[in-house]
Amino acid sequence: MKNVLQENVEIILPENGLEQKFKQAEEENRKLIIKLGFDPTAPDLHLGHAVVLKKLKQFQDLGHQIIIVVGSFTARIGDPTGKNKARKPLSIEDVQHNAETYINQLSKVIDVNKTKIVFNSEWLDALSFSEVIQLMSKVTVAQLMHRNDFNKRFTENTPIAMHELVYPILQGFDSVKIACDIEMGGTDQLFNCTMGRQLQEVHQMSPQIVMCMPLLKGLDGKEKMSKSLNNIIGLTDEPNEMFGKTMSIPDSLIDEFIDLTTDFQNEEKKNLKQRIKNGENPMNIKKLIAKNIITQYHDGESAEKAEQFFVNQFQNKIFEEKSFEPVSIDLLHLNQQTTTLLELCHRLKKDESKTFMRKLIESGGIQINNIKKNNPNEEIELVPETKIKIGKRSFFELI
């Protein structure tokens, strides 16, 4: 079981820490407390988040206690994002809404009923100012400067706000309050997680070990999967969307997706990688990956239907024979016989901003009745049987 728990883990600190924690839990006749911190800055989970969540699920299946720490306090003060600027703080209402959405999506991977969910505002709001100062005194500026992003910005004379320096200390204090044994995160969270170890030692506690999972690259094959970069496959994406997005990944990402997003057995993973090396068409392997992902987050039948939809939509070149989603003109709530192309596309794809849609139109990503349109302000007549293609994977027909 130890090998399974260490599979795909990029960093374990200290290296023999997992063995030590299991031995400690056995001697004390208790289950381990496994922590995952979450700042509700965006409500949608994606396959990148699932890399860590699936590792948590392995611990949960062994009977250990998973604690999700929702950063209801820390999200309100902002966080160093690694992009050299402070993340915009959220309002209390935003935090609450995003946290609720996040918790609902957790059930896609872990058993929420067996998971303890806490909000760090419970203890951080209660700290007096003198207690905050006392907490700050446990950490030196030199230690904080070991964080790569802080060090780089300091060297380049790029401003670093005081609240950004405080953030890792508050995250570390969360580990003290829940008596964490193991903190999970991506490799970009290594510094913040080690802060928990330090503060636990200061409070005469057995320090947590840190387990960092690799950062899954997004659909662009370059940057880590992130909603802000628009390169994600969301856990709540519809099956057809999941399939199409998976098929769009660059061939260089296939091995990474096999390892981090599928639940194939190890022998099957090795076999798929070998088939690529042997020169098989990468599209065949991507289809298997896509179906596996959809089966995990939806079901097998949906995976089969999504594959058929993809073949019909993208391997069948005839526009008229593609499957179009019927949309009632009345449900668009336009109350007029014509509207601009931009407004029509925005109504059909409400999740996308008008700025994004305008760029898509101007780049030639829209077709009306098989004719490419690139003027966002063009007036479009709202008549039944009008067929609209938006981007690569969205097909609508007005009724």
Side-chain angles (χ1 to χ4, degrees):
M1 184 52 66
K2 173 192 168 189
N3 290 338
V4 173
L5 291 174
Q6 292 185 343
E7 193 174 78
N8 289 330
V9 178
E10 191 155 322
I11 299 171
I12 299 181
L13 186 71
E15 287 186 14
N16 63 343
L18 194 57
E19 292 178 1
Q20 293 175 349
K21 280 297 179 184
F22 270 106
K23 184 178 179 181
Q24 179 186 347
E26 188 176 345
E27 290 174 350
E28 298 174 2
N29 192 29
R30 65 178 180 83
K31 298 300 183 182
L32 292 171
I33 294 175
I34 323 292
K35 167 193 171 188
L36 177 66
F38 159 68
D39 272 329
T41 51
D44 299 317
L45 294 183
H46 52 67
L47 292 184
H49 295 117
V51 174
V52 177
L53 291 174
K54 287 198 279 190
K55 185 59 62 177
L56 282 177
K57 181 65 162 61
Q58 291 177 344
F59 281 99
Q60 189 175 58
D61 288 343
L62 292 173
H64 298 291
Q65 179 64 64
I66 305 301
I67 298 184
I68 303 293
V69 180
V70 179
S72 50
F73 181 91
T74 41
R76 303 200 314 262
I77 67 169
D79 165 41
T81 65
K83 295 296 183 182
N84 299 344
K85 51 189 175 183
R87 181 186 295 169
K88 183 180 179 182
L90 298 182
S91 68
I92 295 176
E93 292 74 22
D94 288 336
V95 168
Q96 190 63 37
H97 170 76
N98 289 356
E100 289 173 2
T101 305
Y102 172 89
I103 291 166
N104 289 335
Q105 292 175 79
L106 283 177
S107 61
K108 290 278 188 180
V109 183
I110 64 177
D111 187 341
V112 176
N113 294 323
K114 295 179 180 179
T115 302
K116 186 175 180 181
I117 297 170
V118 297
F119 294 77
N120 68 3
S121 55
E122 293 176 20
W123 50 84
L124 294 178
D125 274 335
L127 290 176
S128 67
F129 191 63
S130 63
E131 288 172 325
V132 173
I133 296 299
Q134 288 173 6
L135 183 60
M136 300 300 104
S137 72
K138 310 301 182 185
V139 182
T140 68
V141 173
Q143 288 171 325
L144 291 172
M145 284 299 108
H146 277 103
R147 176 168 169 145
N148 290 336
D149 180 52
F150 288 159
N151 189 283
K152 184 172 185 291
R153 289 161 66 184
F154 183 76
T155 303
E156 296 174 352
N157 290 319
T158 303
I160 303 173
M162 287 297 296
H163 77 280
E164 297 182 71
L165 297 176
V166 171
Y167 181 92
I169 302 172
L170 298 181
Q171 180 173 325
F173 189 61
D174 293 344
S175 293
V176 173
K177 296 303 291 185
I178 67 169
C180 176
D181 290 304
I182 302 173
E183 180 162 11
M184 299 286 304
T187 52
D188 57 344
Q189 285 294 309
L190 176 60
F191 180 87
N192 288 4
C193 292
T194 56
M195 186 61 66
R197 280 179 58 82
Q198 178 178 335
L199 291 179
Q200 284 177 321
E201 287 180 320
V202 167
H203 286 80
Q204 287 79 51
M205 301 172 68
S206 173
Q208 67 185 21
I209 71 166
V210 176
M211 295 182 68
C212 293
M213 301 300 293
L215 301 177
L216 179 70
K217 291 188 184 71
L219 302 180
D220 52 11
K222 298 175 184 177
E223 302 282 353
K224 75 171 184 177
M225 189 170 284
S226 170
K227 185 174 176 66
S228 64
L229 297 174
N230 199 34
N231 65 357
I232 71 169
I233 299 176
L235 299 191
T236 58
D237 280 354
E238 293 300 318
N240 292 345
E241 190 78 4
M242 276 187 168
F243 200 99
K245 286 181 177 180
T246 305
M247 295 303 295
S248 75
I249 66 172
D251 295 349
S252 59
L253 268 192
I254 290 177
D255 281 6
E256 187 172 323
F257 263 60
I258 289 173
D259 284 333
L260 300 181
T261 70
T262 72
D263 62 0
F264 292 123
Q265 296 298 312
N266 284 336
E267 282 303 313
E268 179 63 14
K269 289 182 178 181
K270 291 177 183 177
N271 178 49
L272 292 175
K273 293 177 185 178
Q274 190 59 47
R275 286 167 62 178
I276 289 288
K277 289 180 181 177
N278 292 343
E280 184 168 342
N281 188 339
M283 180 174 284
N284 297 339
I285 309 302
K286 289 182 189 179
K287 285 181 178 178
L288 294 173
I289 295 172
K291 289 167 68 175
N292 181 278
I293 291 171
I294 295 168
T295 300
Q296 289 180 69
Y297 302 107
H298 294 280
D299 54 65
E301 183 180 355
S302 298
E304 294 292 340
K305 289 181 178 179
E307 180 179 25
Q308 289 303 312
F309 178 84
F310 178 85
V311 170
N312 186 47
Q313 297 296 92
F314 305 106
Q315 293 183 286
N316 175 2
K317 300 296 184 182
I318 302 175
F319 184 85
E320 288 76 11
E321 293 183 6
K322 297 184 184 296
S323 298
F324 290 81
E325 178 185 341
V327 177
S328 170
I329 295 174
D330 292 338
L331 294 180
L332 294 176
H333 302 298
L334 288 165
N335 300 321
Q336 55 199 51
Q337 295 181 332
T338 65
T339 189
T340 64
L341 179 61
L342 176 61
E343 187 62 36
L344 175 60
C345 292
H346 181 60
R347 295 294 177 106
L348 292 170
K349 295 281 288 183
K350 293 179 181 178
D351 290 342
E352 302 291 357
S353 68
K354 281 193 174 182
T355 300
F356 173 83
M357 200 58 67
R358 181 182 295 276
K359 290 179 180 177
L360 185 63
I361 294 170
E362 292 173 344
S363 65
I366 307 295
Q367 292 182 32
I368 303 286
N369 294 331
N370 206 20
I371 298 173
K372 190 174 291 188
K373 302 286 185 178
N374 54 23
N375 179 5
N377 299 316
E378 179 179 345
E379 288 290 324
I380 304 297
E381 190 174 0
L382 301 176
V383 295
E385 299 185 11
T386 299
K387 294 180 176 179
I388 305 122
K389 177 186 176 187
I390 300 177
K392 295 180 179 179
R393 292 182 289 271
S394 299
F395 298 78
F396 302 96
E397 180 176 2
L398 301 184
I399 59 173

